[in-house]
Amino acid sequence: MANATDHLWMHFTRMASYSAGEVPTIVRGEGAYVWDAQGRRYLDGLAGLFVVNAGHGRTELAEAAAKQAGELAYFPLWSYAHPTAVELAERISTLTPGDLNRVFFTTGGSEAVEAAWKLARAYFKRVGKPTKHKVVSRFIAYHGTSMGALSITGLPGIKTDFEPLVPGGIKVPNTNFYRAPEHGDDPVAFGRWAAEEIGRAIEREGPDTVAAVFLEPVQNSGGCFPPPPGYFERVREICDAYDVLLVSDEVICSWGRLGEYFGATRYGYQPDIITTAKGITSGYAPLGAMIASDRLMEPFLTETGMFAHGVTFGGHPVSCAVALANLEVFAREDLVGHVRANEAAFRATLEKLNDLPIVGDVRGDGYFYGIELVKDKNTRETFDEAESERLLRGFLSSALFSAGLYCRADDRGDPVVQLAPPLIAGQQQFDEIEQILRTVLTEAWSRL
């Protein structure tokens, strides 16, 4: 559509890239595939943006939205409730680990992360520890774009235009075992080291100043870093020792992406807060949530207590109705079980690409994988900034799309291709992903 460049300001997009050409326009989706305005079909290898977990074209989700809009299109959760928010909050509480029973709705992931930081600060003020306000997070990790969430984010390239940010963001090493600076031959020792770095950061800052640690179960940016064995167990111990809240940022990793409803369940740790969004509605309506433990609600249950935070469309009736219908699809078709049953096949299919000279590492869990690209497999030499620009933006992104695969070629960290197909995907889609990647990555190597 030619007028897209005249009026539509796209997110995280180099608008000048389309000055001489049309913006790719997706008009329809069905199952694991989408179609553009010219009728070309693409395998949705990223579930939109780690979102469309139940797949495209679910008429029952659209019908749930229409039915709710006809009954009650909108009412705020500011001192009032509506049935779909109440029902959804109760449903979520039956799926969360431990006593995470308090659901604060938002419209997306950044808002959920923002709410979690605000709750951590407000909670410690109310329990007599008002100086605890800082947050520990990992290098290269993405936690959102609002000013608080951006301060927790560990990606310098998307922060510089907006500095100074909210003070109090502290960064520690991530769990990229492929490029481990310590214990690169021992994942257990590496996990222990990475966890202890969090403890050392808390000590440096002063435990009386640190409120929370924000971690994704599998870190997205940088290319899907799973936790090493014992990592979260040790992080939990450290948080308990210093009275620091553990926030599991599951905006991507929840709702079946890792083969469980929540990533914390997959890896066996108990957070104090979970932040979630994206797959909660499979993208059919915007919704997010901060899910807190009963303990964190207690200081706000006094007669005059209030968590002085809210957003207009948080817990929108239509979005909550869609989420409930989405969870019915999950239960009826056992999408979480489908991921568990097929994740080994997905991994095995992607690992076939290890025979390519440009593929350095294939890593991830569930239906969430990163493929790191290298100049030299033996030395693990990566690409410099100019080479990465030519490889990812100059060739791979458009070549993969032209070949019929929508995924992410990302250079936030070392160059990677990221994959997170809808949870309905099976071996047919795995093979299609591998074949397209093999063809395009082989050509990319020939261009180096």
Side-chain angles (χ1 to χ4, degrees), residues 131-192:
T131 61
K132 292 176 79 70
H133 67 281
K134 298 175 185 176
V135 164
V136 177
S137 59
R138 298 184 289 204
F139 291 124
I140 316 178
Y142 177 88
H143 292 284
T145 53
S146 56
M147 292 299 277
L150 190 59
S151 302
I152 299 172
T153 290
L155 293 163
I158 67 170
K159 298 165 73 167
T160 52
D161 279 350
F162 312 108
E163 292 175 327
L165 299 174
V166 179
I170 307 154
K171 303 299 177 286
V172 296
N174 56 49
T175 59
N176 182 0
F177 184 62
Y178 183 67
R179 298 198 176 277
E182 302 277 349
H183 308 291
D185 59 347
D186 184 343
V188 174
F190 171 66
R192 181 82 179 193

Side-chain angles (χ1 to χ4, degrees), residues 25 81 91 116 131 140 175 182 189-190 226 261 285 298 350 393 443:
T25 305
R91 180 72 178 273
T131 61
I140 316 178
T175 59
E182 302 277 349
F190 171 66
Y261 278 101
E298 288 176 5
L350 294 179
R393 298 184 185 276
E443 183 177 350

Side-chain angles (χ1 to χ4, degrees), residues 335-353:
L335 293 184
V336 175
H338 179 78
V339 173
R340 286 197 300 270
N342 288 276
E343 64 176 343
F346 189 33
R347 176 187 290 275
T349 304
L350 294 179
E351 285 180 342
K352 292 179 181 179
L353 297 168

Side-chain angles (χ1 to χ4, degrees), residues 30-33 41 43-45 338 342 346 349-350 367 405 419 421-437:
E30 183 68 33
Y33 298 89
R41 190 187 79 164
L43 173 56
D44 185 358
H338 179 78
N342 288 276
F346 189 33
T349 304
L350 294 179
Y367 275 24
L405 176 62
L419 299 158
L423 308 189
I424 59 171
Q427 192 60 52
Q428 177 184 338
Q429 286 75 39
F430 304 159
D431 289 338
E432 190 175 344
I433 289 170
E434 190 271 338
Q435 290 159 14
I436 292 174
L437 284 172

